[in-house]
């Protein structure tokens, strides 16, 4: 069995993991359904008790009314049984045929006629009466029934039920359903009889008997005018618990035998619930002190609670509709309440990813609206600070670039002046003027051009001035060839990125070679990129050195200050850092070569 502690822990764990919308949905549902369910349960129980009580009381009233109608009918029959005592003609005719029972053989036709008129008059307009019979002590039977239907002489000793009448002392007697033998035509129909011993009023001598046979269905007609439950059973018994009449519910079985078993009928109390078969019944009994009859009603509990069950069914359906409406309302309310929070949550997620431009648009006048406005103000401030820091960083990088450029110029001027000095000392040649001219161009280019980017042809002119100076120095051992596509000549490139490469090729590739060397400078467009290559046919580098140099260039962080390389002076790392600063990952610098075959540097710039 799942313990309450486990359920509590399980519910608490799931509740903590649920979002605010789910929690609000549960809260609304519980707050609305809990009082509604309690109110429905209390109302239903009160309604059930009220309906059951009224139904029981109604059943008791109906049973009392049935017994009252039964008393009225039997009282009328009792009165009818007294009538012969006041008719001298009847008394004299009965007295004429006195004798032991069974000794009578015949009667005068005149007496038959008189008695028939009398009994017929008494039975007139009484459809519930099958026959009224006056029987002498000797067994002569006078009746309103046709002579062909009833015997003229009847020996009462043949019928066991007659002994009860014979033993009575003038009191009227109700004989339970029986089949009298004086009817000539064989019939299985039973009759309930009201009978009385007739005595001479003055001498109290027994003169005969009067028997009034009542049809059994006459008892059923009593119920026809009453609103008695059709699914209930009705049972009538006399003082000795003998069966008088029973109306069985539709589709039911007789309950008399089961109630009479083991004396249960005598032990049953009014309003007691009794289970017969598979159904439970409400037992209601009313006893008439006048007739001695008891009217018993057996109403199924399911019938009594039928209205309450209908009420419960209606309540359950109504509750289901309410649950649906409440759930829908709870979903709508929780959605409306949590929608600003969900939007704020999404905006915060975008801010975590670096997007500070999104704002919360649903701004109400409640606490959520204040929270949204606070978030928007915070994003405005963060965005402002972010841009300030970004611009400041860019300016710092530009300052670093300017500092590097200022480091290049003294170095180059120093080499150039050294070349002029050597030429002046050794050759005293007129080409000194050309060197001075070229040097002037170089100085103007490095000093006057403060832009970070220039066109490719300007950088080539600067390199050409440098090459001419170096060619004078190397005396024809240095040859530089240009291979450029016309469409890339106007492309913008970083300033002073080719001259250091040419200088490296001169000093590290060709300088030590007696036969000199050649430098190729090429520029071409490949898709959306500009490829610039400076290649020489000098001593080159080994594969391991090339790999190590590429690795060193690639690992150098771009966000560190630019520094000179100790190995190659105006090093490749310097140029690579400038390219990364300007083009981020769009630019690159790679080296290649082999021993004795030369060295090549390729710069990639996005267009």
């Amino acid at each position: 069995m799942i313990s309450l502690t486990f359920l509590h822990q399980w519910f608490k764990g799931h509740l903590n993991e649920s979002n605010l919308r789910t929690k609000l949905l549960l809260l609304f549902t519980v707050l609305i359904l809990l009082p509604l369910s309690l109110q429905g349960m209390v109302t239903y129980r009160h309604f059930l008790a009220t309906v059951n009580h009224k139904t029981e009381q109604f059943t008791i009233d109906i049973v009392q009314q049935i017994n009252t109608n039964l008393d009225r009918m039997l009282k009328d029959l009792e009165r009818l049984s007294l009538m012969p005592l006041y008719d001298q003609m009847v008394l004299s005719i009965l007295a004429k045929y006195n004798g032991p029972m069974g000794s009578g053989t015949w009667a005068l036709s005149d007496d038959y006629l008189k008695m028939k008129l009398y009994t017929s008059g008494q039975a007139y307009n009484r459809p519930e009466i099958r026959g009224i019979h006056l029987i002498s002590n000797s067994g002569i039977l006078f009746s309103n029934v046709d002579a062909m239907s009833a015997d003229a002489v009847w020996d009462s000793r043949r019928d066991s039920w007659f002994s009860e009448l014979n033993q009575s002392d003038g009191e009227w007697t109700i004989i339970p359903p029986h089949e009298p033998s004086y009817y000539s035509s064989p019939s299985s129909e039973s009759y309930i009889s009201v009978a009385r011993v007739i005595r001479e009023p003055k001498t109290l001598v027994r003169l005969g008997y009067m028997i009034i046979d009542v049809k059994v269905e006459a008892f059923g007609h009593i119920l026809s005018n009453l609103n008695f439950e059709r699914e209930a059973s009705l049972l009538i018994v006399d003082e000795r618990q003998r069966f008088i009449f029973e109306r069985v519910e539709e589709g039911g079985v007789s309950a008399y035998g089961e109630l009479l078993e083991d004396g249960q009928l005598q032990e049953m109390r009014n309003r007691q619930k009794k289970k017969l078969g598979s159904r439970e019944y409400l037992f209601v009994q009313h006893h008439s002190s006048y007739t001695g009859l008891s009217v018993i009603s057996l109403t199924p509990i399911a019938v009594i609670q039928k209205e309450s069950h209908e009420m419960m069914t209606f309540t359950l359906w109504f509750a289901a509709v309410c649950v649906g409406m409440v759930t829908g309302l709870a979903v709508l309310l929780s959605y409306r309440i949590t929608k600003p929070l969900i939007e704020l949550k999404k905006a915060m997620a975008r801010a975590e990813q670096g997007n500070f431009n999104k704002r919360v648009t649903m701004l109400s006048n409640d606490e959520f609206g204040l929270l949204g406005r606070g978030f928007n103000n915070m994003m405005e401030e963060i965005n402002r600070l972010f841009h300030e820091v970004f611009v400041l960083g860019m300016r710092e990088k530009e300052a670093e670039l300017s500092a590097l450029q200022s480091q290049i110029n003294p170095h180059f001027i120093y080499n150039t002046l050294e070349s002029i000095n050597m030429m002046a000392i050794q050759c005293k040649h007129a080409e000194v003027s050309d060197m001075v001219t070229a040097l002037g161009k170089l100085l103007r280019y490095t000093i006057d051009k403060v832009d970070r980017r220039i066109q490719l042809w300007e950088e080539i002119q600067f390199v050409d001035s440098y090459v001419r100076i170096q060619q004078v120095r190397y005396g024809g051992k240095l040859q530089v060839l240009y291979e450029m596509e016309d469409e890339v000549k106007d492309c913008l490139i970083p300033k002073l990125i080719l001259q250091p490469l040419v200088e490296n090729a001169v000093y590290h590739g060709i300088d030590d070679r007696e036969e000199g060397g050649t430098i190729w400078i090429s520029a071409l467009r490949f898709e959306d990129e500009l490829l610039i290559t400076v290649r020489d046919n000098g001593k080159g580098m080994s594969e391991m050195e090339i790999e190590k140099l590429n690795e060193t260039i690639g690992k150098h962080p771009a966000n560190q200050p630019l520094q000179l390389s100790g190995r190659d002076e105006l090093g490749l790392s310097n140029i690579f850092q400038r390219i990364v600063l300007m083009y981020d990952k769009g630019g690159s610098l790679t080296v290649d070569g082999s021993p004795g075959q030369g060295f090549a540097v390729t710069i990639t710039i996005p267009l």
Side-chain angles (χ1 to χ4, degrees):
M1 179 180 293
I2 300 176
S3 63
L4 293 178
T5 304
F6 175 77
L7 290 177
H8 175 71
Q9 294 296 334
W10 179 86
F11 179 76
K12 185 178 179 181
H14 282 72
L15 188 63
N16 291 334
E17 295 177 358
S18 301
N19 53 31
L20 180 60
R21 180 171 296 176
T22 303
K23 292 178 181 178
L24 287 176
L25 178 62
L26 291 176
L27 178 63
F28 289 147
T29 305
V30 171
L31 289 180
I32 296 176
L33 290 184
L34 183 60
L36 183 62
S37 301
L38 292 177
Q39 189 270 339
M41 292 175 61
V42 173
T43 302
Y44 172 72
R45 292 183 64 84
H46 178 71
F47 176 79
L48 178 63
T50 303
V51 170
N52 291 342
H53 175 73
K54 288 187 176 181
T55 304
E56 291 176 3
Q57 187 61 42
F58 177 76
T59 304
I60 294 174
D61 294 341
I62 287 292
V63 169
Q64 290 178 351
Q65 184 62 43
I66 292 173
N67 219 352
T68 301
N69 294 345
L70 192 61
D71 287 349
R72 186 179 300 112
M73 183 185 73
L74 294 176
K75 185 179 291 185
D76 186 50
L77 295 177
E78 181 202 9
R79 183 187 57 79
L80 187 62
S81 66
L82 290 173
M83 295 305 294
L85 300 179
Y86 304 100
D87 193 315
Q88 191 58 40
M89 183 271 294
V90 173
L91 296 177
S92 61
I93 291 176
L94 290 176
K96 184 187 298 184
Y97 299 100
N98 191 17
M101 178 58 71
S103 61
T105 55
W106 56 273
L108 296 175
S109 58
D110 185 56
D111 293 337
Y112 272 117
L113 180 59
K114 291 178 180 178
M115 295 296 273
K116 184 173 184 63
L117 291 175
Y118 175 81
T119 55
S120 298
Q122 298 298 325
Y124 177 74
N125 199 24
R126 293 179 181 273
E128 73 276 12
I129 296 178
R130 172 65 179 88
I132 298 177
H133 314 287
L134 291 170
I135 304 171
S136 67
N137 288 332
S138 60
I140 302 300
L141 188 144
F142 304 98
S143 175
N144 66 319
V145 180
D146 294 338
M148 299 298 294
S149 300
D151 296 337
V153 179
W154 175 61
D155 186 356
S156 62
R157 293 174 296 181
R158 294 180 300 180
D159 291 21
S160 59
W161 55 267
F162 185 78
S163 60
E164 180 182 358
L165 174 61
N166 191 34
Q167 295 172 3
S168 64
D169 192 20
E171 297 293 333
W172 70 299
T173 303
I174 300 175
I175 301 174
H178 59 282
E179 298 179 5
S181 60
Y182 42 72
Y183 288 110
S184 301
S185 57
S187 173
S188 59
E189 187 175 3
S190 298
Y191 301 100
I192 301 171
S193 299
V194 175
R196 180 190 294 274
V197 175
I198 299 176
R199 295 178 182 273
E200 171 61 38
K202 294 180 179 179
T203 62
L204 299 180
V205 174
R206 178 177 297 192
L207 299 179
Y209 311 91
M210 183 172 185
I211 301 174
I212 304 173
D213 291 335
V214 182
K215 300 176 182 176
V216 175
E217 56 264 27
F219 287 78
H221 290 165
I222 296 175
L223 306 178
S224 60
N225 297 326
L226 299 175
N227 187 21
F228 189 73
E229 177 60 47
R230 298 182 58 183
E231 298 184 23
S233 297
L234 183 73
L235 179 65
I236 301 175
V237 297
D238 60 9
E239 292 177 327
R240 297 163 58 185
Q241 307 299 324
R242 292 183 301 179
F243 176 85
I244 300 297
F245 172 80
E246 184 178 20
R247 199 204 72 171
V248 181
E249 61 177 303
E250 296 180 355
V253 296
S254 174
Y256 174 73
E258 189 171 350
L259 288 176
L260 196 63
E261 184 178 358
D262 299 331
Q264 295 185 52
L265 190 57
Q266 297 177 351
E267 298 175 355
M268 293 289 291
R269 292 177 286 105
N270 206 16
R271 296 191 178 186
Q272 181 179 350
K273 291 181 174 58
K274 174 66 178 177
K275 189 170 184 180
L276 300 175
S278 60
R279 305 186 71 179
E280 190 176 20
Y281 295 85
L282 174 66
F283 179 85
V284 176
Q285 181 178 12
H286 184 267
H287 179 72
S288 172
S289 59
Y290 176 74
T291 62
L293 300 181
S294 296
V295 178
I296 299 171
S297 170
L298 293 170
T299 306
I301 299 299
V303 175
I304 296 175
Q305 297 178 349
K306 181 179 179 181
E307 293 187 9
S308 59
H309 288 165
E310 293 177 353
M311 179 63 182
M312 182 179 66
T313 303
F314 172 78
T315 303
L316 290 177
W317 277 108
F318 182 73
V321 173
C322 290
V323 168
M325 295 176 62
V326 167
T327 303
L329 183 61
V331 171
L332 179 61
L333 289 178
S334 60
Y335 177 79
R336 295 286 299 176
I337 292 176
T338 59
K339 187 176 181 180
L341 290 178
I342 298 298
E343 184 176 353
L344 182 59
K345 176 184 175 183
K346 294 180 179 177
M348 293 180 66
R350 290 192 292 266
E352 290 178 352
Q353 297 174 355
N355 186 357
F356 304 116
N357 296 322
K358 293 295 182 181
R359 300 291 183 270
V360 178
T361 57
M362 297 186 62
L363 299 176
S364 56
N365 294 324
D366 54 11
E367 288 76 3
F368 294 122
L370 295 176
L371 189 61
R373 292 187 182 89
F375 176 80
N376 289 342
N377 294 335
M378 183 177 66
M379 288 296 103
E380 291 286 350
E381 186 65 17
I382 291 176
N383 198 26
R384 185 184 64 79
L385 293 175
F386 175 79
H387 284 86
E388 287 183 356
V389 171
F390 179 78
V391 172
L392 181 60
M394 291 298 296
R395 288 177 178 174
E396 290 178 349
K397 290 180 179 178
E398 289 180 351
E400 292 175 357
L401 181 59
S402 298
L404 284 175
Q405 291 177 352
S406 64
Q407 292 173 349
I408 294 173
N409 293 335
H411 177 76
F412 178 73
I413 292 172
Y414 172 77
N415 291 335
T416 304
L417 291 178
E418 183 65 19
S419 299
I420 295 173
N421 184 38
M422 290 180 62
M423 182 184 67
I425 294 174
Q426 295 177 0
C427 301
K428 297 181 181 180
H429 198 275
E431 292 177 347
V432 172
S433 63
D434 294 334
M435 294 179 63
V436 173
T437 302
L439 179 60
K441 291 181 180 179
L442 291 176
L443 291 175
R444 282 195 299 272
Y445 182 79
T446 55
I447 295 174
D448 296 342
K449 295 288 184 180
V450 297
D451 298 335
R452 295 175 58 197
R453 298 182 184 182
I454 59 173
Q455 292 179 322
L456 176 60
W457 65 269
E458 292 180 286
E459 182 72 7
I460 294 298
Q461 285 185 349
F462 172 71
V463 172
D464 185 65
S465 297
Y466 171 78
V467 167
R468 280 193 294 165
I469 292 174
Q470 294 295 348
Q471 286 176 337
V472 171
R473 177 185 176 187
Y474 286 95
K477 295 182 180 180
L478 175 63
Q479 184 178 6
V480 179
L481 302 177
Y482 300 95
E483 300 174 352
M484 290 183 293
E485 296 178 353
D486 294 337
E487 59 175 329
V488 301
K489 290 182 179 179
D490 295 331
C491 294
L492 294 177
I493 63 172
K495 184 180 178 181
L496 293 175
I497 62 172
L498 296 182
Q499 185 273 335
L501 301 180
V502 175
E503 184 178 356
N504 284 340
V506 171
Y507 286 102
H508 299 289
I510 301 175
D511 186 52
D512 296 336
R513 298 181 64 185
E514 294 181 359
E515 66 275 18
T518 303
I519 299 174
W520 290 270
I521 301 175
S522 62
L524 57 89
R525 177 176 184 140
F526 181 74
E527 296 181 351
D528 294 332
E529 293 179 339
L530 173 62
L531 302 181
I532 302 175
T533 303
V534 177
R535 178 171 60 86
D536 63 75
N537 58 354
K539 62 180 180 181
M541 298 178 69
S542 65
E543 184 177 356
M544 182 177 299
E545 290 174 332
I546 292 295
E547 183 178 355
K548 184 177 180 180
L549 183 58
N550 277 324
E551 183 178 358
T552 301
I553 294 172
K555 285 184 177 181
H556 199 92
N559 57 353
Q560 291 184 359
L562 300 177
Q563 298 175 353
L564 290 174
S565 170
R567 178 178 179 274
D568 54 2
E569 297 186 0
L570 297 177
L572 300 175
S573 297
N574 188 318
I575 301 173
F576 177 72
Q577 291 179 36
R578 292 171 58 195
I579 293 174
V580 172
L581 284 173
M582 292 183 176
Y583 303 105
D584 198 7
K585 296 181 179 180
S588 65
L589 184 147
T590 57
V591 299
D592 194 8
S594 60
Q597 300 297 322
F599 184 80
V601 180
T602 301
I603 296 174
T604 302
I605 296 174
L607 297 177

